[in-house]
Amino acid sequence: MTEKYVYNFNEGKKEMKDLLGGKGANLAEMTKILLPVPPGFTLTTESCNRFFSEDQTIWAGLDKEIKDHLKDLEQMTEKKFSDLKNPLLLSVRSGAAQSMPGMMDTILNLGLNDRSVIGLANTTSNERFAYDSYRRFIQMFSDVVLEIPKVQFESILEKAKKEKGVKLDKELDGDDLKKIVKKYKEVYLQETGEDFPQEPMVQLILAIKAVFASWDNPRAVFYRDMHAISKLNGTAVNVQSMVFGNKGESSGTGVAFTRNPGNGDKKLFGEFLLNAQGEDVVAGVRTPNEIAELKTLMPEVYQQLETAAENLENHYKDMQDIEFTIENDELFLLQTRNGKRTAHAAIAIAVDLHQEGKITKEEAIVRIKPQQFEQLLHPNFDAKAIDKAKALAKGLAASPGAASGRICFTAEAVEAAFEKGIKTILVRQETSPEDISGMVKSEGILTARGGMTSHAAVVARGMGKCCVAGCSEVRINEDEKTVQYKGGVLNEGAIISLDGTTGIVYLGDIEKTNPTLGGKFTELMDWIDEIKTMSVRANADTPEDAKQALEFSAEGIGLIRTEHMFFKENRISSVRRMILAGTIEERAKALNELLPMQKNDFYQIYHVMGGLPVTIRLLDPPLHEFMPVKEEEIRHLAETMSLSQEELNGRIDELHEVNPMLGHRGVRLGITYPEISRMQVRAIMEAALEYQTDKKIEIQPEIMIPLISDVKELVYIKAEIEDEIKKIFTEKGQTLKYHIGTMIEVPRAALTADKIAEEADFFSFGTNDLTQMGFGFSRDDSGRFISEYMDKNILEKGPFDTIDQEGIGQLVKIAIEKGRQTKPNLKIGICGEHGGDPASIEFFQRLGLNYVSCSPFRVPIARLAAAQAAIKYR
Ligand code: ADP
Ligand code: MG
Ligand code: MG
């Protein structure tokens, strides 16, 4: 069997991208649906592959195939490739299976030489056109095949224009261009020591070889590395008969989107140039005209273009990005592909295409990338402004958004500036609960330490505030109030900008664009809710968070971190006294202060949620996060506790833990100090009873116990809690239904989930801790080496960002199976950071979770991801 390496455009189709490359497959498809495409043929990606194994030579078989197809092309165009009067001219165009913008260049007008250029000038009676084509060809050939720098040619052109006193290429006439061609050929001779090749077949083979070889040039290799493109065969080469946009004012070239890629409006969008060729439009040789002007200049051509656009959309069922050329009032299409678009446009187009009956709701939903929502929900930097900005460091993209402001090193400084209406960025080594007020009042947060689940990252995401965390490229000196970066030092008050979506920190202020969510977004979200099967709840710690969550249509609250409710300035002192109390009485006093505050918070949250499910987790503070550190705080606390500073320091030392993340937290705290759990349960139940009485809306509180590793812990704490609840019911003469469930976040709990399920009404996976304990990676410190693990391909993704399905995911799977062995209808959710990660959500859908819970600002993303997962696995 003879192998086939070359396909005529009329032999291929759009499904053959791997073989013909994206450009080739779409040229074939357009040919197939009878759009006006200049005829041509494609050398397959496999031929590129073989080219490399043949020591970069064209083997005899391929040479024959090329010549055979060239003969066909001559027949179709009724022109001869080496004709001296009216030669067939060709374009040679690269095109891999995936687009690699700007990687491999195109050669136009191939086939011209010193003699046929004269013939062409005569047959077309257009000397200017003939020599313009020739000079372009010499330059592109020299650039692509021999890598002779373009500037050498461009400076000759510039000089010619200057001498003539004109600005535009098209103001040069035939004679001028003739002289330019002569000079171009001199450059070629100088650079290569040879005359410009005159034999068209030699030109063609050299061009094909150059395009093949360019697959392996450093730029292309770098691009593929950057974008993790592997497993591709190579580039295809398209050899196509030329059509000419440079024949005068009734010819031209342009690019058009079938809809506006910025906002999705259904109207042609693009640019064109008259009397121009190929890359002139993109290269900015002249300022192009808006496509709308074509309507007045060439109404019929415009009409054809509109019709072609419509045909292409109907056929591809998506917005297309088209390249076209007009030759003497006749339209030709040279390329089509699915157009790139902003998030805003992506949604508008998907919704419109469904409403126009072109795609189903499911197709519309699957088209939207969850990451695009990120762009929609947060402010972004203006694309042009960001290009000009100076980056000074890169950290973790901890919480998306764009923020600019003056550097402040303390929460107090932020607050003081806020009073004066000055925008700030809170810059800290790492944040702690004391910084909360500063975090709230700053535009964004930058930390040098801590990972994606550090305090700064988690809290900022919860607030929807921009944050770059773990930026180890800067050195923050909080005492001296300086930020050191590679290029210098910044002091307090200097202006910086943070991009929380990329993790990049910039110098100075950068212009921003604000998000707007229109009717189409709402429409799409309605379809999403129809289709998804998992619920999406939010993690919310305050009534404000809950409101935000509801605005994004959260279907409940999956996690209230009650310790976060204490971060407010006036409360932290009571919490510290509760933790550091020396006696039960002292602790009781502190708890009594906290009870009404907690109760009121719960009441407000119930009120906001209006009967939707609310899961409240009992206290789970890694103790170190709550200890005072600053001298003055310690002094103040000692005063309020009537202790000497030494005494207080003594107690703090006693509570010091070497491994606080594995320490005295979660249920362990409740087991040593049941009165804390009792107080919290009292606040939960009293608030629920009062709310129910006031509003006549049924509330079934979901009380969640953290950090269980053995069912006996749950039995113990449940007895305490239920005893307290019984008391409350008797005191109030009222009852209500409640649920007591547990987090599954310790590996041992996952492995003994069948026993735990006997006592638990629901499970919620705390996958942050499960990952921490499953991997043995500290959440707070592992950021430093995890990035290196990824560089060295030991880890593919950060396990705190996307759940590790192979290991941690197995723990989740086992726990679900065991839990549902005991209770087939056990309600199971997840409330770790993975609850907002699309790849993880897909996994949870497969495992049969009932709900995911994530920070309020991720709720729309999670809803979309849940719908996409439901479509994929139904
Ligand atoms: P890129 O991948 O960089 O877009 P293309 O192969 O699409 O490169 O070529 C760039 C431009 O060259 C096209 O947009 C078109 O204007 C011009 N071009 C390519 N082939 C032809 C042709 N056969 N006739 C006229 N112009 C062409
Ligand atoms: Mg193109
Ligand atoms: Mg936990």
Side-chain angles (χ1 to χ4, degrees):
M1 188 191 92
T2 48
E3 283 156 296
K4 182 173 168 66
Y5 287 105
V6 182
Y7 286 73
N8 192 298
F9 287 172
N10 60 27
E11 292 177 293
K13 54 182 177 192
K14 68 176 189 302
E15 288 76 17
M16 289 166 71
K17 273 198 179 116
D18 284 342
L19 190 64
L20 303 178
K23 201 180 283 169
N26 285 331
L27 282 165
E29 187 74 14
M30 288 199 289
T31 306
K32 197 172 96 182
I33 61 172
L34 304 177
L35 285 166
V37 176
F41 54 87
T42 305
L43 280 66
T44 63
T45 54
E46 282 170 4
S47 69
C48 178
N49 216 5
R50 175 144 176 207
F51 170 78
F52 282 108
S53 54
E54 299 270 352
D55 271 342
Q56 310 209 7
T57 58
I58 303 288
W59 61 101
L62 183 61
D63 191 66
K64 177 164 184 323
E65 271 191 85
I66 294 171
K67 286 180 177 148
D68 287 348
H69 278 87
L70 201 54
K71 270 200 203 97
D72 291 348
L73 203 54
E74 288 180 328
Q75 261 176 14
M76 281 191 261
T77 57
E78 297 175 351
K79 289 182 184 173
K80 285 251 171 302
F81 188 41
S82 307
D83 199 73
L84 293 181
K85 288 208 196 87
N86 189 19
L88 167 65
L89 299 186
L90 301 175
S91 72
V92 177
R93 319 169 62 188
S94 63
Q98 266 184 47
S99 100
M100 283 183 235
M103 281 296 114
M104 284 158 271
D105 284 326
T106 298
I107 300 174
L108 302 181
N109 312 323
L110 184 140
L112 274 177
N113 59 29
D114 293 353
R115 290 165 65 201
S116 62
V117 72
I118 299 169
L120 186 66
N122 290 336
T123 12
T124 57
S125 315
N126 192 340
E127 191 171 61
R128 186 198 177 278
F129 155 68
Y131 282 92
D132 184 53
S133 303
Y134 197 23
R135 65 104 187 159
R136 289 172 187 271
F137 170 49
I138 296 170
Q139 173 176 338
M140 286 186 261
F141 186 89
S142 305
D143 172 31
V144 177
V145 179
L146 294 136
E147 297 189 4
I148 302 173
K150 280 186 204 158
V151 279
Q152 301 228 33
F153 300 103
E154 275 157 8
S155 60
I156 291 172
L157 193 66
E158 284 311 308
K159 208 167 144 221
K161 284 192 282 185
K162 215 167 168 193
E163 277 169 13
K164 192 169 186 185
V166 298
K167 281 218 179 79
L168 303 176
D169 297 2
K170 64 176 183 180
E171 291 169 298
L172 296 170
D173 61 24
D175 273 340
D176 302 326
L177 290 162
K178 221 184 255 177
K179 283 179 210 146
I180 288 171
V181 162
K182 196 160 166 265
K183 288 192 182 141
Y184 275 18
K185 281 170 48 195
E186 280 163 15
V187 171
Y188 188 94
L189 179 62
Q190 231 170 44
E191 288 285 324
T192 63
E194 283 170 37
D195 283 326
F196 189 77
Q198 294 292 307
E199 178 53 52
M201 200 59 210
V202 171
Q203 296 172 350
L204 179 61
I205 295 297
L206 282 174
I208 289 173
K209 284 169 75 173
V211 174
F212 276 155
S214 75
W215 174 255
D216 244 8
N217 78 21
R219 275 189 310 171
V221 172
F222 180 74
Y223 185 90
R224 289 197 294 275
D225 277 357
M226 279 287 288
H227 294 80
I229 300 172
S230 55
K231 301 184 211 124
L232 286 189
N233 251 332
T235 180
V237 182
N238 302 291
V239 177
Q240 187 178 28
S241 51
M242 283 296 299
V243 287
F244 300 99
N246 57 338
K247 274 192 168 169
E249 293 299 310
S250 58
S251 301
T253 182
V255 295
F257 290 83
T258 55
R259 297 177 195 231
N260 186 315
N263 59 24
D265 281 356
K266 193 183 178 197
K267 193 164 165 248
L268 277 186
F269 177 95
E271 296 173 325
F272 71 100
L273 277 174
L274 291 187
N275 199 8
Q277 223 183 17
E279 298 284 276
D280 289 359
V281 175
V282 232
V285 175
R286 275 180 267 152
T287 313
N289 309 57
E290 274 181 34
I291 204 83
E293 286 172 52
L294 191 63
K295 201 172 180 173
T296 27
L297 288 172
M298 300 183 181
E300 276 167 31
V301 174
Y302 186 84
Q303 184 57 49
Q304 285 172 40
L305 187 61
E306 258 190 341
T307 312
E310 177 109 23
N311 280 340
L312 280 170
E313 275 205 356
N314 287 337
H315 190 71
Y316 282 88
K317 299 184 192 306
D318 200 358
M319 185 263 268
Q320 296 294 297
D321 169 356
I322 309 172
E323 295 174 11
F324 64 91
T325 282
I326 305 158
E327 178 176 341
N328 293 332
D329 288 318
E330 193 178 347
L331 176 75
F332 295 92
L333 298 182
L334 294 171
Q335 191 172 342
T336 192
R337 60 189 150 190
N338 293 340
K340 295 226 160 39
R341 61 205 82 181
T342 62
H344 198 78
I347 288 171
I349 290 170
V351 169
D352 288 348
L353 285 174
H354 173 63
Q355 281 166 347
E356 290 161 25
K358 290 178 184 151
I359 58 175
T360 62
K361 276 182 192 175
E362 285 81 359
E363 283 169 320
I365 290 170
V366 171
R367 291 244 174 119
I368 311 292
K369 292 193 191 75
Q371 296 83 330
Q372 288 183 312
F373 270 35
E374 206 92 70
Q375 254 188 56
L376 280 181
L377 302 171
H378 299 275
N380 280 294
F381 287 124
D382 179 76
K384 285 203 188 102
I386 201 85
D387 281 345
K388 287 188 214 127
K390 181 174 163 20
L392 57 89
K394 187 165 192 252
L396 301 173
S399 179
S404 309
R406 294 185 181 277
I407 295 177
C408 282
F409 292 95
T410 60
E412 292 81 55
V414 169
E415 286 175 271
F418 184 81
E419 296 302 316
K420 293 186 206 142
I422 297 170
K423 294 188 168 167
T424 59
I425 302 286
L426 178 64
V427 177
R428 307 272 304 155
Q429 197 68 339
E430 55 193 336
T431 60
S432 67
E434 282 124 55
D435 296 319
I436 293 285
S437 57
M439 294 172 82
V440 172
K441 289 177 179 159
S442 67
E443 300 296 305
I445 299 136
L446 170 66
T447 67
R449 280 211 293 256
M452 290 296 282
T453 56
S454 63
H455 179 267
V458 172
V459 174
R461 275 198 294 275
M463 294 177 182
K465 184 143 298 198
C466 171
C467 173
V468 174
C471 185
S472 53
E473 285 177 27
V474 297
R475 200 165 290 155
I476 296 169
N477 189 326
E478 291 173 1
D479 295 329
E480 287 175 14
K481 301 197 187 302
T482 55
V483 181
Q484 256 186 55
Y485 64 101
K486 254 199 204 127
V489 180
L490 296 172
N491 295 311
E492 192 153 53
I495 297 178
I496 56 171
S497 294
L498 307 180
D499 187 334
T501 315
T502 59
I504 299 177
V505 184
Y506 296 91
L507 267 180
D509 199 354
I510 304 172
E511 205 180 312
K512 291 166 208 63
T513 53
N514 271 320
T516 44
L517 299 182
K520 301 220 161 123
F521 177 78
T522 318
E523 189 105 13
L524 182 79
M525 289 318 279
D526 285 347
W527 304 344
I528 282 172
D529 290 338
E530 273 169 39
I531 283 165
K532 71 181 179 48
T533 55
M534 276 193 296
S535 314
V536 175
R537 298 192 189 184
N539 301 346
D541 305 328
T542 61
E544 295 79 49
D545 287 356
K547 260 186 217 129
Q548 186 61 260
L550 213 56
E551 260 169 47
F552 289 134
S553 302
E555 294 160 280
I557 291 180
L559 172 66
I560 295 179
R561 287 162 289 208
T562 51
E563 63 279 5
H564 284 198
M565 303 173 104
F566 298 140
F567 282 162
K568 284 191 189 150
E569 55 266 56
N570 53 345
R571 301 181 179 184
I572 186 107
S573 145
S574 310
V575 177
R576 285 176 174 158
R577 273 182 286 129
M578 167 185 83
I579 294 170
L580 291 162
T583 61
I584 294 203
E585 290 73 38
E586 268 174 48
R587 179 161 298 111
K589 212 172 133 222
L591 284 171
N592 274 334
E593 287 169 19
L594 289 169
L595 175 63
M597 300 181 199
Q598 282 234 296
K599 186 169 150 185
N600 186 46
D601 282 350
F602 292 141
Y603 187 96
Q604 295 304 332
I605 291 175
Y606 292 142
H607 183 55
V608 171
M609 298 310 290
L612 290 173
V614 173
T615 304
I616 300 166
R617 181 179 72 183
L618 298 189
L619 205 61
D620 179 22
L623 287 183
H624 67 300
E625 283 188 12
F626 282 83
M627 289 304 154
V629 274
K630 288 188 203 141
E631 179 84 24
E632 59 187 82
E633 287 164 3
I634 295 176
R635 193 179 329 120
H636 176 74
L637 191 62
E639 262 168 44
T640 48
M641 293 181 75
S642 316
L643 294 173
S644 73
Q645 255 173 266
E646 288 81 69
E647 282 173 305
L648 181 61
N649 274 327
R651 286 197 198 168
I652 293 174
D653 284 347
E654 263 172 47
L655 288 180
H656 173 80
E657 292 177 314
V658 176
N659 258 331
M661 275 298 196
L662 302 177
H664 196 184
R665 54 184 279 233
V667 70
R668 300 161 198 173
L669 210 59
I671 286 172
T672 21
Y673 308 120
E675 58 274 23
I676 298 179
S677 308
R678 281 177 181 262
M679 179 282 282
Q680 289 203 294
V681 165
R682 181 168 280 274
I684 294 168
M685 297 308 278
E686 286 188 4
L689 286 170
E690 275 172 35
Y691 181 75
Q692 203 164 290
T693 314
D694 292 351
K695 305 286 172 189
K696 310 280 174 279
I697 294 176
E698 195 201 354
I699 301 268
Q700 297 188 5
E702 297 173 352
I703 300 167
M704 183 156 77
I705 315 296
L707 226 69
I708 292 283
S709 55
D710 190 305
V711 68
K712 287 193 222 88
E713 292 171 305
L714 188 56
V715 171
Y716 180 89
I717 202 78
K718 246 179 99 176
E720 291 281 339
I721 292 173
E722 294 202 301
D723 180 62
E724 188 73 16
I725 292 176
K726 220 179 275 161
K727 266 199 226 159
I728 300 166
F729 285 170
T730 322
E731 284 165 29
K732 306 269 169 194
Q734 274 178 297
T735 61
L736 51 68
K737 208 162 176 286
Y738 61 88
H739 311 272
I740 297 179
T742 174
M743 306 239 347
I744 302 288
E745 53 186 340
V746 177
R748 192 180 189 285
L751 299 174
T752 59
D754 46 345
K755 295 212 178 96
I756 294 176
E758 282 168 15
E759 296 294 327
D761 298 330
F762 63 89
F763 282 177
S764 176
F765 287 99
T767 48
N768 299 347
D769 269 311
L770 198 59
T771 301
Q772 168 166 269
M773 289 183 236
F775 264 101
F777 287 169
S778 158
R779 279 158 62 178
D780 290 344
D781 305 313
S782 56
R784 280 180 228 158
F785 59 83
I786 283 184
S787 54
E788 202 155 335
Y789 268 47
M790 294 203 279
D791 290 345
K792 295 186 174 160
N793 290 323
I794 295 167
L795 282 175
E796 205 177 316
K797 285 181 180 160
F800 291 107
D801 304 334
T802 293
I803 192 151
D804 153 54
Q805 296 188 11
E806 202 184 357
I808 308 303
Q810 287 311 300
L811 288 170
V812 174
K813 194 163 174 251
I814 290 168
I816 294 173
E817 280 164 10
K818 291 202 159 202
R820 288 198 175 139
Q821 261 165 36
T822 308
K823 282 191 182 150
N825 293 321
L826 188 69
K827 186 151 84 176
I828 305 181
I830 165 199
C831 59
E833 291 292 321
H834 298 109
D837 170 62
S840 308
I841 289 171
E842 191 184 307
F843 178 67
F844 299 136
Q845 170 84 23
R846 260 195 290 151
L847 293 189
L849 252 61
N850 301 92
Y851 70 89
V852 298
S853 188
C854 57
S855 59
F857 282 86
R858 291 203 74 83
V859 166
I861 297 166
R863 283 161 69 202
L864 172 65
Q868 291 182 338
I871 291 167
K872 191 159 170 186
Y873 294 106
R874 72 166 143 208

